[in-house]
Amino acid sequence: MSVSAAILPLLFVALIVYALVRRVDVYEAFVEGAAEGLPVLLKILPYLAGMLIAIRTLRDSGLIDRLVSLLAPASSRIGLDAALLPLLLLRPFSGSAAMASLADIFNQYGADSMIGYTASVLMGSSETIFYEVALYFGAIGVKKTRFAIPVSLAAMAAGVIASLFICSVFFP
């Protein structure tokens, strides 16, 4: 068994031992915490459902494919392979949709290809901006996000540019 596979069970056992030493009823504490978490879940559920429906609608409507075909000529001029566009378009909205796009890239081009390397680095250097804003800001009732979205998009753009540069230098 590898160390990484043993960490979670060991952490679980250590937590139970710590609770027993401190004379805490572990089961009661768990049930109490779960009961406190349910209102939070109910509060964020509408925002989560709305975001997931929007993402599914974007994918099923074919809008992503149309955007890719429109942006492909411009992306090739700046050195961005058009195969990476679906990943870049979906990543700010959904991590799971971006993972599906990454899997498609791996299946089509291979994980060890230049496109596979670049897609992997892009995936790690970007974030699900709109998902997080909708979920977390919605859950706490923030109506005006001010600079959160523009700054997040600028950071993602910087990550994309850095990813393309780094991959072109280290994985020619």
Side-chain angles (χ1 to χ4, degrees):
M1 179 191 268
S2 70
V3 174
S4 62
I7 288 176
L8 192 57
L10 288 174
L11 186 61
F12 184 71
V13 168
L15 184 64
I16 290 175
V17 168
Y18 177 76
L20 291 173
V21 168
R22 304 277 295 187
R23 299 185 190 269
V24 174
D25 183 359
V26 177
Y27 182 74
E28 184 62 34
F30 172 78
V31 170
E32 188 177 309
E36 289 175 11
L38 282 176
V40 175
L41 175 66
L42 292 175
K43 192 171 184 179
I44 66 171
L45 197 56
Y47 299 99
L48 181 61
M51 196 64 187
L52 292 174
I53 290 169
I55 293 162
R56 185 64 186 214
T57 303
L58 276 174
R59 290 191 76 188
D60 291 349
S61 69
L63 184 61
I64 297 294
D65 295 332
R66 287 190 202 116
L67 281 172
V68 167
S69 64
L70 282 171
L71 296 173
S75 72
S76 65
R77 281 193 287 259
I78 63 169
L80 176 66
D81 195 301
L84 298 170
L85 286 174
L87 174 66
L88 287 174
L89 291 171
L90 290 170
R91 182 66 173 151
F93 295 98
S94 168
S96 59
M99 284 298 283
S101 180
L102 182 66
D104 290 343
I105 290 169
F106 287 166
N107 287 334
Q108 186 171 359
Y109 299 99
D112 292 329
S113 66
M114 177 62 175
I115 293 173
Y117 287 136
T118 306
S120 297
V121 175
L122 286 172
M123 188 72 172
S125 64
S126 57
E127 191 52 62
T128 54
I129 297 164
F130 297 109
Y131 171 81
E132 290 178 9
V133 166
L135 185 66
Y136 298 123
F137 283 13
I140 60 172
V142 173
K143 300 287 187 226
K144 296 181 181 176
T145 61
R146 296 186 47 111
F147 300 111
I149 293 175
V151 169
S152 298
L153 289 172
M156 183 174 172
V160 168
I161 292 166
S163 298
L164 294 174
F165 174 74
I166 290 168
C167 288
S168 68
V169 170
F170 290 106
F171 307 111

